[in-house]
Amino acid sequence: MKLIKLTAISAAVLASTAALAADPVIVVDDNAAVAYEAEPVAVAYQAEPVAVAYQAEPAAYAYDANAGVVSNTTGAVVGGTKGFFSKVVNPASVSAEVGTLGYGANIGWSLNEKTELQAGWAGGDVADLFGGDFDADDVNYDVDADFSNPYLGVQLRPTGNWFTVGAGIIVPDNDIDVRANSEGPNFRIDDVDYDAGQTGTLSGTIEHRNKLAPYATIGFRPNITNNFGLFGEIGAAYMGKTDATVRSSNPDALVTAVSGNSGNTSTTVVTGKDVAKAAEQELEDKDWLEWFPIVKVGATYRF
């Protein structure tokens, strides 16, 4: 009976308020009084502050309207399609040019302060830009050219100033028409004199073999104002060996051919077609403009 009473009273004490639990509790039965002191249960919940720091990431790209450059372009491209298309539809510059490749223009996209991608085209009738003729050994040829040279390249500013180095690929589609000029009464081809009157007119075409032509240039690009600048470049493109086709206006006519020196000559008879073939071979052996010179000047507008 004593145990049952003690248990019931203890349960009641545990259900009491926290304030009462802090005071001594006296349990009385029939025979003795026992004092039990209930220790308060201290439960502390400390709300830890949640530290969340949001750091503003730098913009994927920063466009400098004065310099015409885009910083951190790699981040812009990797950052998503939006950054990529924003850069594509907002080029850094447009340029107009004239030179040995023709008259043309290009668009530039700056990757950073020292690197710019370029896509352009140059072409047209540019024979007069380099004199309109050339010599293949002893034969002078008049030239009529119709050029088409789309290209893709990169312009570097290695020292961060106006000095530039360029490289890229040209996709040449150039039509070069030639016509031989006789020296006096003869065409002198590979140390053989052919009667020009019997041969008739020698004319034909030259085509470079390379369908892709790598090029390299050095140049300068000073800025005149924040938006306008000038440039000049020199270099060369490897167009490859040439395929020539030469025709005679009298292909079946008999032509007198004289070879050797004045003191020791020999005379043979060939056809106009044979003379054209000799001229064709000489043009291909000459490798006319295998390394095509690049000289151009122009103006640039930067956005």
Side-chain angles (χ1 to χ4, degrees), residues 28-79:
V28 180
D29 61 15
D30 294 336
N31 299 317
V34 181
Y36 298 91
E37 184 177 1
E39 295 293 334
V41 179
V43 180
Y45 295 93
Q46 180 177 0
E48 294 293 334
V50 179
V52 180
Y54 294 95
Q55 181 177 0
E57 295 293 333
Y61 63 91
Y63 185 72
D64 188 335
N66 293 328
V69 298
V70 176
S71 300
N72 194 19
T73 301
T74 302
V77 175
V78 175

mmCIF file of all heavy atoms in Angstrom, residues 28-79:
data_model
loop_
_atom_site.group_PDB
_atom_site.id
_atom_site.type_symbol
_atom_site.label_atom_id
_atom_site.label_comp_id
_atom_site.label_asym_id
_atom_site.label_seq_id
_atom_site.Cartn_x
_atom_site.Cartn_y
_atom_site.Cartn_z
ATOM 1 N N VAL A 28 3.676 12.099 2.003
ATOM 2 C CA VAL A 28 3.336 11.620 3.358
ATOM 3 C C VAL A 28 2.555 10.327 3.245
ATOM 4 O O VAL A 28 1.602 10.247 2.468
ATOM 5 C CB VAL A 28 2.509 12.671 4.119
ATOM 6 C CG1 VAL A 28 2.171 12.161 5.535
ATOM 7 C CG2 VAL A 28 3.278 13.978 4.173
ATOM 8 N N ASP A 29 2.959 9.355 3.962
ATOM 9 C CA ASP A 29 2.127 8.151 4.083
ATOM 10 C C ASP A 29 1.767 7.969 5.574
ATOM 11 O O ASP A 29 1.969 8.864 6.380
ATOM 12 C CB ASP A 29 2.833 6.935 3.491
ATOM 13 C CG ASP A 29 4.146 6.616 4.188
ATOM 14 O OD1 ASP A 29 4.368 7.146 5.282
ATOM 15 O OD2 ASP A 29 4.953 5.839 3.607
ATOM 16 N N ASP A 30 1.313 6.813 5.909
ATOM 17 C CA ASP A 30 0.828 6.608 7.269
ATOM 18 C C ASP A 30 1.934 6.619 8.311
ATOM 19 O O ASP A 30 1.736 6.942 9.470
ATOM 20 C CB ASP A 30 0.063 5.267 7.386
ATOM 21 C CG ASP A 30 -1.196 5.330 6.548
ATOM 22 O OD1 ASP A 30 -1.688 6.462 6.303
ATOM 23 O OD2 ASP A 30 -1.662 4.248 6.115
ATOM 24 N N ASN A 31 3.157 6.251 7.903
ATOM 25 C CA ASN A 31 4.178 6.039 8.920
ATOM 26 C C ASN A 31 5.263 7.107 8.904
ATOM 27 O O ASN A 31 5.871 7.352 9.934
ATOM 28 C CB ASN A 31 4.830 4.658 8.725
ATOM 29 C CG ASN A 31 3.810 3.536 8.854
ATOM 30 O OD1 ASN A 31 2.971 3.568 9.752
ATOM 31 N ND2 ASN A 31 3.887 2.565 7.958
ATOM 32 N N ALA A 32 5.561 7.694 7.716
ATOM 33 C CA ALA A 32 6.703 8.624 7.693
ATOM 34 C C ALA A 32 6.512 9.693 6.627
ATOM 35 O O ALA A 32 5.751 9.517 5.705
ATOM 36 C CB ALA A 32 8.003 7.856 7.420
ATOM 37 N N ALA A 33 7.207 10.742 6.881
ATOM 38 C CA ALA A 33 7.181 11.814 5.888
ATOM 39 C C ALA A 33 8.527 11.847 5.187
ATOM 40 O O ALA A 33 9.559 11.940 5.825
ATOM 41 C CB ALA A 33 6.907 13.157 6.561
ATOM 42 N N VAL A 34 8.490 11.790 3.835
ATOM 43 C CA VAL A 34 9.727 11.787 3.033
ATOM 44 C C VAL A 34 9.692 12.987 2.106
ATOM 45 O O VAL A 34 8.703 13.193 1.407
ATOM 46 C CB VAL A 34 9.858 10.481 2.205
ATOM 47 C CG1 VAL A 34 11.147 10.498 1.404
ATOM 48 C CG2 VAL A 34 9.819 9.282 3.139
ATOM 49 N N ALA A 35 10.748 13.752 2.099
ATOM 50 C CA ALA A 35 10.801 14.946 1.234
ATOM 51 C C ALA A 35 11.634 14.634 -0.003
ATOM 52 O O ALA A 35 12.783 14.184 0.117
ATOM 53 C CB ALA A 35 11.396 16.123 2.012
ATOM 54 N N TYR A 36 11.030 14.847 -1.154
ATOM 55 C CA TYR A 36 11.727 14.645 -2.439
ATOM 56 C C TYR A 36 11.846 15.993 -3.136
ATOM 57 O O TYR A 36 10.874 16.691 -3.291
ATOM 58 C CB TYR A 36 10.930 13.689 -3.351
ATOM 59 C CG TYR A 36 10.775 12.295 -2.763
ATOM 60 C CD1 TYR A 36 9.659 12.000 -1.966
ATOM 61 C CD2 TYR A 36 11.724 11.311 -2.986
ATOM 62 C CE1 TYR A 36 9.514 10.725 -1.431
ATOM 63 C CE2 TYR A 36 11.574 10.048 -2.470
ATOM 64 C CZ TYR A 36 10.462 9.752 -1.692
ATOM 65 O OH TYR A 36 10.319 8.490 -1.170
ATOM 66 N N GLU A 37 13.006 16.303 -3.501
ATOM 67 C CA GLU A 37 13.199 17.592 -4.218
ATOM 68 C C GLU A 37 13.326 17.301 -5.702
ATOM 69 O O GLU A 37 14.226 16.580 -6.145
ATOM 70 C CB GLU A 37 14.451 18.308 -3.714
ATOM 71 C CG GLU A 37 14.620 19.684 -4.377
ATOM 72 C CD GLU A 37 15.814 20.420 -3.810
ATOM 73 O OE1 GLU A 37 16.503 19.875 -2.936
ATOM 74 O OE2 GLU A 37 16.074 21.551 -4.254
ATOM 75 N N ALA A 38 12.417 17.848 -6.479
ATOM 76 C CA ALA A 38 12.442 17.629 -7.952
ATOM 77 C C ALA A 38 13.363 18.639 -8.606
ATOM 78 O O ALA A 38 13.171 19.832 -8.445
ATOM 79 C CB ALA A 38 11.028 17.747 -8.514
ATOM 80 N N GLU A 39 14.370 18.111 -9.261
ATOM 81 C CA GLU A 39 15.299 19.000 -9.953
ATOM 82 C C GLU A 39 14.668 19.520 -11.245
ATOM 83 O O GLU A 39 14.061 18.762 -11.994
ATOM 84 C CB GLU A 39 16.582 18.243 -10.304
ATOM 85 C CG GLU A 39 17.379 17.791 -9.097
ATOM 86 C CD GLU A 39 17.948 18.973 -8.340
ATOM 87 O OE1 GLU A 39 18.147 20.033 -8.998
ATOM 88 O OE2 GLU A 39 18.177 18.857 -7.137
ATOM 89 N N PRO A 40 14.741 20.803 -11.458
ATOM 90 C CA PRO A 40 14.175 21.328 -12.718
ATOM 91 C C PRO A 40 14.961 20.816 -13.923
ATOM 92 O O PRO A 40 16.180 20.635 -13.853
ATOM 93 C CB PRO A 40 14.321 22.845 -12.570
ATOM 94 C CG PRO A 40 15.473 23.014 -11.627
ATOM 95 C CD PRO A 40 15.411 21.860 -10.675
ATOM 96 N N VAL A 41 14.243 20.529 -14.916
ATOM 97 C CA VAL A 41 14.884 20.085 -16.176
ATOM 98 C C VAL A 41 15.126 21.307 -17.040
ATOM 99 O O VAL A 41 14.181 21.994 -17.416
ATOM 100 C CB VAL A 41 14.006 19.065 -16.918
ATOM 101 C CG1 VAL A 41 14.685 18.649 -18.213
ATOM 102 C CG2 VAL A 41 13.745 17.870 -16.024
ATOM 103 N N ALA A 42 16.370 21.573 -17.289
ATOM 104 C CA ALA A 42 16.711 22.774 -18.081
ATOM 105 C C ALA A 42 17.010 22.369 -19.531
ATOM 106 O O ALA A 42 17.957 21.633 -19.794
ATOM 107 C CB ALA A 42 17.928 23.485 -17.491
ATOM 108 N N VAL A 43 16.179 22.782 -20.388
ATOM 109 C CA VAL A 43 16.366 22.486 -21.819
ATOM 110 C C VAL A 43 16.503 23.807 -22.553
ATOM 111 O O VAL A 43 15.592 24.631 -22.493
ATOM 112 C CB VAL A 43 15.190 21.676 -22.395
ATOM 113 C CG1 VAL A 43 15.429 21.401 -23.861
ATOM 114 C CG2 VAL A 43 15.003 20.394 -21.610
ATOM 115 N N ALA A 44 17.606 24.010 -23.136
ATOM 116 C CA ALA A 44 17.843 25.296 -23.826
ATOM 117 C C ALA A 44 18.043 25.043 -25.303
ATOM 118 O O ALA A 44 18.871 24.223 -25.693
ATOM 119 C CB ALA A 44 19.068 25.983 -23.221
ATOM 120 N N TYR A 45 17.289 25.701 -26.062
ATOM 121 C CA TYR A 45 17.434 25.611 -27.524
ATOM 122 C C TYR A 45 17.970 26.955 -28.003
ATOM 123 O O TYR A 45 17.336 27.970 -27.845
ATOM 124 C CB TYR A 45 16.085 25.325 -28.187
ATOM 125 C CG TYR A 45 15.515 23.975 -27.818
ATOM 126 C CD1 TYR A 45 14.639 23.852 -26.739
ATOM 127 C CD2 TYR A 45 15.854 22.845 -28.533
ATOM 128 C CE1 TYR A 45 14.121 22.629 -26.398
ATOM 129 C CE2 TYR A 45 15.331 21.617 -28.192
ATOM 130 C CZ TYR A 45 14.465 21.501 -27.120
ATOM 131 O OH TYR A 45 13.957 20.288 -26.791
ATOM 132 N N GLN A 46 19.136 26.888 -28.518
ATOM 133 C CA GLN A 46 19.719 28.139 -29.012
ATOM 134 C C GLN A 46 19.623 28.143 -30.535
ATOM 135 O O GLN A 46 20.125 27.241 -31.203
ATOM 136 C CB GLN A 46 21.192 28.255 -28.601
ATOM 137 C CG GLN A 46 21.826 29.552 -29.119
ATOM 138 C CD GLN A 46 23.260 29.668 -28.646
ATOM 139 O OE1 GLN A 46 23.747 28.791 -27.948
ATOM 140 N NE2 GLN A 46 23.909 30.764 -29.005
ATOM 141 N N ALA A 47 18.926 29.120 -30.995
ATOM 142 C CA ALA A 47 18.766 29.208 -32.462
ATOM 143 C C ALA A 47 20.060 29.709 -33.075
ATOM 144 O O ALA A 47 20.461 30.845 -32.837
ATOM 145 C CB ALA A 47 17.614 30.142 -32.804
ATOM 146 N N GLU A 48 20.723 28.810 -33.763
ATOM 147 C CA GLU A 48 21.954 29.221 -34.412
ATOM 148 C C GLU A 48 21.634 30.115 -35.607
ATOM 149 O O GLU A 48 20.755 29.794 -36.411
ATOM 150 C CB GLU A 48 22.728 27.979 -34.909
ATOM 151 C CG GLU A 48 23.233 27.079 -33.792
ATOM 152 C CD GLU A 48 24.302 27.770 -32.983
ATOM 153 O OE1 GLU A 48 24.974 28.662 -33.543
ATOM 154 O OE2 GLU A 48 24.468 27.432 -31.794
ATOM 155 N N PRO A 49 22.332 31.203 -35.693
ATOM 156 C CA PRO A 49 22.071 32.048 -36.874
ATOM 157 C C PRO A 49 22.523 31.330 -38.140
ATOM 158 O O PRO A 49 23.554 30.673 -38.161
ATOM 159 C CB PRO A 49 22.918 33.299 -36.605
ATOM 160 C CG PRO A 49 24.001 32.828 -35.701
ATOM 161 C CD PRO A 49 23.391 31.750 -34.839
ATOM 162 N N VAL A 50 21.723 31.417 -39.142
ATOM 163 C CA VAL A 50 22.064 30.800 -40.427
ATOM 164 C C VAL A 50 22.731 31.861 -41.285
ATOM 165 O O VAL A 50 22.109 32.860 -41.641
ATOM 166 C CB VAL A 50 20.807 30.249 -41.145
ATOM 167 C CG1 VAL A 50 21.206 29.648 -42.473
ATOM 168 C CG2 VAL A 50 20.135 29.231 -40.247
ATOM 169 N N ALA A 51 23.997 31.631 -41.564
ATOM 170 C CA ALA A 51 24.751 32.634 -42.328
ATOM 171 C C ALA A 51 24.756 32.234 -43.799
ATOM 172 O O ALA A 51 25.340 31.218 -44.169
ATOM 173 C CB ALA A 51 26.191 32.725 -41.804
ATOM 174 N N VAL A 52 24.056 32.981 -44.564
ATOM 175 C CA VAL A 52 24.005 32.729 -46.010
ATOM 176 C C VAL A 52 24.543 33.960 -46.707
ATOM 177 O O VAL A 52 23.984 35.045 -46.572
ATOM 178 C CB VAL A 52 22.570 32.435 -46.493
ATOM 179 C CG1 VAL A 52 22.578 32.181 -47.991
ATOM 180 C CG2 VAL A 52 22.007 31.244 -45.740
ATOM 181 N N ALA A 53 25.625 33.780 -47.380
ATOM 182 C CA ALA A 53 26.245 34.929 -48.056
ATOM 183 C C ALA A 53 26.098 34.758 -49.558
ATOM 184 O O ALA A 53 26.512 33.745 -50.111
ATOM 185 C CB ALA A 53 27.726 35.020 -47.683
ATOM 186 N N TYR A 54 25.484 35.697 -50.117
ATOM 187 C CA TYR A 54 25.337 35.690 -51.571
ATOM 188 C C TYR A 54 26.339 36.682 -52.139
ATOM 189 O O TYR A 54 26.234 37.876 -51.880
ATOM 190 C CB TYR A 54 23.925 36.083 -51.987
ATOM 191 C CG TYR A 54 22.885 35.073 -51.562
ATOM 192 C CD1 TYR A 54 22.188 35.248 -50.365
ATOM 193 C CD2 TYR A 54 22.624 33.960 -52.334
ATOM 194 C CE1 TYR A 54 21.237 34.320 -49.966
ATOM 195 C CE2 TYR A 54 21.665 33.036 -51.944
ATOM 196 C CZ TYR A 54 20.985 33.206 -50.760
ATOM 197 O OH TYR A 54 20.045 32.313 -50.383
ATOM 198 N N GLN A 55 27.265 36.158 -52.883
ATOM 199 C CA GLN A 55 28.266 37.044 -53.490
ATOM 200 C C GLN A 55 27.859 37.347 -54.917
ATOM 201 O O GLN A 55 27.623 36.439 -55.711
ATOM 202 C CB GLN A 55 29.650 36.380 -53.487
ATOM 203 C CG GLN A 55 30.736 37.282 -54.080
ATOM 204 C CD GLN A 55 32.090 36.608 -53.996
ATOM 205 O OE1 GLN A 55 32.186 35.496 -53.511
ATOM 206 N NE2 GLN A 55 33.115 37.292 -54.479
ATOM 207 N N ALA A 56 27.790 38.595 -55.215
ATOM 208 C CA ALA A 56 27.399 38.974 -56.576
ATOM 209 C C ALA A 56 28.507 38.562 -57.535
ATOM 210 O O ALA A 56 29.626 39.028 -57.440
ATOM 211 C CB ALA A 56 27.158 40.477 -56.658
ATOM 212 N N GLU A 57 28.149 37.625 -58.417
ATOM 213 C CA GLU A 57 29.135 37.191 -59.402
ATOM 214 C C GLU A 57 29.372 38.304 -60.413
ATOM 215 O O GLU A 57 28.440 39.024 -60.787
ATOM 216 C CB GLU A 57 28.630 35.937 -60.133
ATOM 217 C CG GLU A 57 28.487 34.719 -59.234
ATOM 218 C CD GLU A 57 29.836 34.238 -58.733
ATOM 219 O OE1 GLU A 57 30.830 34.473 -59.445
ATOM 220 O OE2 GLU A 57 29.900 33.666 -57.650
ATOM 221 N N PRO A 58 30.606 38.415 -60.860
ATOM 222 C CA PRO A 58 30.840 39.425 -61.897
ATOM 223 C C PRO A 58 30.071 39.087 -63.155
ATOM 224 O O PRO A 58 29.810 37.927 -63.439
ATOM 225 C CB PRO A 58 32.358 39.331 -62.139
ATOM 226 C CG PRO A 58 32.726 37.966 -61.661
ATOM 227 C CD PRO A 58 31.793 37.651 -60.537
ATOM 228 N N ALA A 59 29.698 40.085 -63.858
ATOM 229 C CA ALA A 59 28.939 39.869 -65.086
ATOM 230 C C ALA A 59 29.722 38.962 -66.008
ATOM 231 O O ALA A 59 30.944 39.005 -66.072
ATOM 232 C CB ALA A 59 28.668 41.209 -65.781
ATOM 233 N N ALA A 60 29.008 38.112 -66.770
ATOM 234 C CA ALA A 60 29.680 37.157 -67.650
ATOM 235 C C ALA A 60 30.548 37.854 -68.673
ATOM 236 O O ALA A 60 31.571 37.356 -69.062
ATOM 237 C CB ALA A 60 28.648 36.279 -68.336
ATOM 238 N N TYR A 61 30.152 39.003 -69.096
ATOM 239 C CA TYR A 61 31.017 39.761 -69.999
ATOM 240 C C TYR A 61 30.751 41.235 -69.798
ATOM 241 O O TYR A 61 29.659 41.635 -69.421
ATOM 242 C CB TYR A 61 30.789 39.377 -71.478
ATOM 243 C CG TYR A 61 29.410 39.676 -71.985
ATOM 244 C CD1 TYR A 61 29.134 40.909 -72.580
ATOM 245 C CD2 TYR A 61 28.385 38.750 -71.874
ATOM 246 C CE1 TYR A 61 27.867 41.189 -73.051
ATOM 247 C CE2 TYR A 61 27.113 39.038 -72.345
ATOM 248 C CZ TYR A 61 26.866 40.257 -72.929
ATOM 249 O OH TYR A 61 25.621 40.541 -73.389
ATOM 250 N N ALA A 62 31.761 42.020 -69.982
ATOM 251 C CA ALA A 62 31.634 43.465 -69.843
ATOM 252 C C ALA A 62 32.053 44.101 -71.150
ATOM 253 O O ALA A 62 33.165 43.892 -71.609
ATOM 254 C CB ALA A 62 32.509 43.956 -68.700
ATOM 255 N N TYR A 63 31.180 44.839 -71.773
ATOM 256 C CA TYR A 63 31.446 45.437 -73.078
ATOM 257 C C TYR A 63 31.931 46.868 -72.909
ATOM 258 O O TYR A 63 31.286 47.668 -72.229
ATOM 259 C CB TYR A 63 30.174 45.407 -73.925
ATOM 260 C CG TYR A 63 30.395 45.893 -75.325
ATOM 261 C CD1 TYR A 63 31.096 45.101 -76.224
ATOM 262 C CD2 TYR A 63 29.914 47.130 -75.741
ATOM 263 C CE1 TYR A 63 31.306 45.537 -77.517
ATOM 264 C CE2 TYR A 63 30.127 47.569 -77.027
ATOM 265 C CZ TYR A 63 30.816 46.769 -77.916
ATOM 266 O OH TYR A 63 31.023 47.200 -79.193
ATOM 267 N N ASP A 64 33.080 47.152 -73.464
ATOM 268 C CA ASP A 64 33.664 48.487 -73.415
ATOM 269 C C ASP A 64 33.409 49.159 -74.750
ATOM 270 O O ASP A 64 34.019 48.812 -75.752
ATOM 271 C CB ASP A 64 35.169 48.387 -73.146
ATOM 272 C CG ASP A 64 35.787 49.762 -72.897
ATOM 273 O OD1 ASP A 64 35.220 50.758 -73.380
ATOM 274 O OD2 ASP A 64 36.834 49.822 -72.244
ATOM 275 N N ALA A 65 32.498 50.104 -74.772
ATOM 276 C CA ALA A 65 32.112 50.730 -76.041
ATOM 277 C C ALA A 65 33.246 51.515 -76.658
ATOM 278 O O ALA A 65 33.318 51.673 -77.868
ATOM 279 C CB ALA A 65 30.894 51.639 -75.824
ATOM 280 N N ASN A 66 34.137 52.055 -75.830
ATOM 281 C CA ASN A 66 35.230 52.861 -76.369
ATOM 282 C C ASN A 66 36.317 51.987 -76.978
ATOM 283 O O ASN A 66 36.803 52.238 -78.063
ATOM 284 C CB ASN A 66 35.825 53.741 -75.265
ATOM 285 C CG ASN A 66 34.856 54.799 -74.802
ATOM 286 O OD1 ASN A 66 34.049 55.272 -75.599
ATOM 287 N ND2 ASN A 66 34.925 55.165 -73.542
ATOM 288 N N ALA A 67 36.703 50.955 -76.256
ATOM 289 C CA ALA A 67 37.791 50.103 -76.752
ATOM 290 C C ALA A 67 37.296 49.085 -77.747
ATOM 291 O O ALA A 67 38.061 48.530 -78.516
ATOM 292 C CB ALA A 67 38.470 49.400 -75.575
ATOM 293 N N GLY A 68 35.997 48.799 -77.740
ATOM 294 C CA GLY A 68 35.466 47.826 -78.662
ATOM 295 C C GLY A 68 35.886 46.409 -78.329
ATOM 296 O O GLY A 68 36.156 45.612 -79.200
ATOM 297 N N VAL A 69 35.944 46.090 -77.047
ATOM 298 C CA VAL A 69 36.376 44.762 -76.637
ATOM 299 C C VAL A 69 35.356 44.172 -75.688
ATOM 300 O O VAL A 69 34.581 44.877 -75.061
ATOM 301 C CB VAL A 69 37.758 44.782 -75.953
ATOM 302 C CG1 VAL A 69 38.812 45.292 -76.903
ATOM 303 C CG2 VAL A 69 37.727 45.626 -74.692
ATOM 304 N N VAL A 70 35.354 42.862 -75.605
ATOM 305 C CA VAL A 70 34.495 42.151 -74.676
ATOM 306 C C VAL A 70 35.374 41.379 -73.723
ATOM 307 O O VAL A 70 36.209 40.593 -74.148
ATOM 308 C CB VAL A 70 33.556 41.184 -75.424
ATOM 309 C CG1 VAL A 70 32.734 40.385 -74.434
ATOM 310 C CG2 VAL A 70 32.638 41.967 -76.350
ATOM 311 N N SER A 71 35.237 41.622 -72.414
ATOM 312 C CA SER A 71 36.045 40.926 -71.427
ATOM 313 C C SER A 71 35.351 39.645 -71.001
ATOM 314 O O SER A 71 34.124 39.561 -70.974
ATOM 315 C CB SER A 71 36.281 41.818 -70.209
ATOM 316 O OG SER A 71 36.961 42.999 -70.591
ATOM 317 N N ASN A 72 36.156 38.657 -70.643
ATOM 318 C CA ASN A 72 35.661 37.387 -70.121
ATOM 319 C C ASN A 72 34.637 36.751 -71.045
ATOM 320 O O ASN A 72 33.584 36.305 -70.625
ATOM 321 C CB ASN A 72 35.042 37.597 -68.732
ATOM 322 C CG ASN A 72 34.836 36.275 -68.010
ATOM 323 O OD1 ASN A 72 35.434 35.269 -68.359
ATOM 324 N ND2 ASN A 72 33.973 36.291 -67.007
ATOM 325 N N THR A 73 34.975 36.707 -72.313
ATOM 326 C CA THR A 73 34.050 36.130 -73.275
ATOM 327 C C THR A 73 33.857 34.644 -73.053
ATOM 328 O O THR A 73 32.787 34.102 -73.301
ATOM 329 C CB THR A 73 34.562 36.386 -74.706
ATOM 330 O OG1 THR A 73 34.676 37.783 -74.884
ATOM 331 C CG2 THR A 73 33.589 35.848 -75.736
ATOM 332 N N THR A 74 34.894 33.975 -72.588
ATOM 333 C CA THR A 74 34.757 32.547 -72.312
ATOM 334 C C THR A 74 33.638 32.295 -71.334
ATOM 335 O O THR A 74 32.805 31.410 -71.518
ATOM 336 C CB THR A 74 36.076 31.982 -71.760
ATOM 337 O OG1 THR A 74 37.109 32.231 -72.707
ATOM 338 C CG2 THR A 74 35.947 30.487 -71.505
ATOM 339 N N GLY A 75 33.572 33.128 -70.294
ATOM 340 C CA GLY A 75 32.489 32.990 -69.326
ATOM 341 C C GLY A 75 31.142 33.267 -69.960
ATOM 342 O O GLY A 75 30.144 32.655 -69.614
ATOM 343 N N ALA A 76 31.113 34.203 -70.914
ATOM 344 C CA ALA A 76 29.850 34.528 -71.564
ATOM 345 C C ALA A 76 29.338 33.358 -72.385
ATOM 346 O O ALA A 76 28.157 33.040 -72.365
ATOM 347 C CB ALA A 76 30.035 35.752 -72.458
ATOM 348 N N VAL A 77 30.253 32.695 -73.098
ATOM 349 C CA VAL A 77 29.833 31.582 -73.945
ATOM 350 C C VAL A 77 29.417 30.396 -73.097
ATOM 351 O O VAL A 77 28.375 29.779 -73.296
ATOM 352 C CB VAL A 77 30.970 31.193 -74.916
ATOM 353 C CG1 VAL A 77 30.587 29.962 -75.726
ATOM 354 C CG2 VAL A 77 31.282 32.346 -75.850
ATOM 355 N N VAL A 78 30.271 30.062 -72.096
ATOM 356 C CA VAL A 78 29.969 28.922 -71.244
ATOM 357 C C VAL A 78 28.736 29.204 -70.408
ATOM 358 O O VAL A 78 27.961 28.311 -70.090
ATOM 359 C CB VAL A 78 31.180 28.591 -70.352
ATOM 360 C CG1 VAL A 78 30.850 27.478 -69.369
ATOM 361 C CG2 VAL A 78 32.360 28.183 -71.216
ATOM 362 N N GLY A 79 28.547 30.481 -70.043
ATOM 363 C CA GLY A 79 27.437 30.842 -69.183
ATOM 364 C C GLY A 79 26.078 30.580 -69.782
ATOM 365 O O GLY A 79 25.107 30.521 -69.062
#
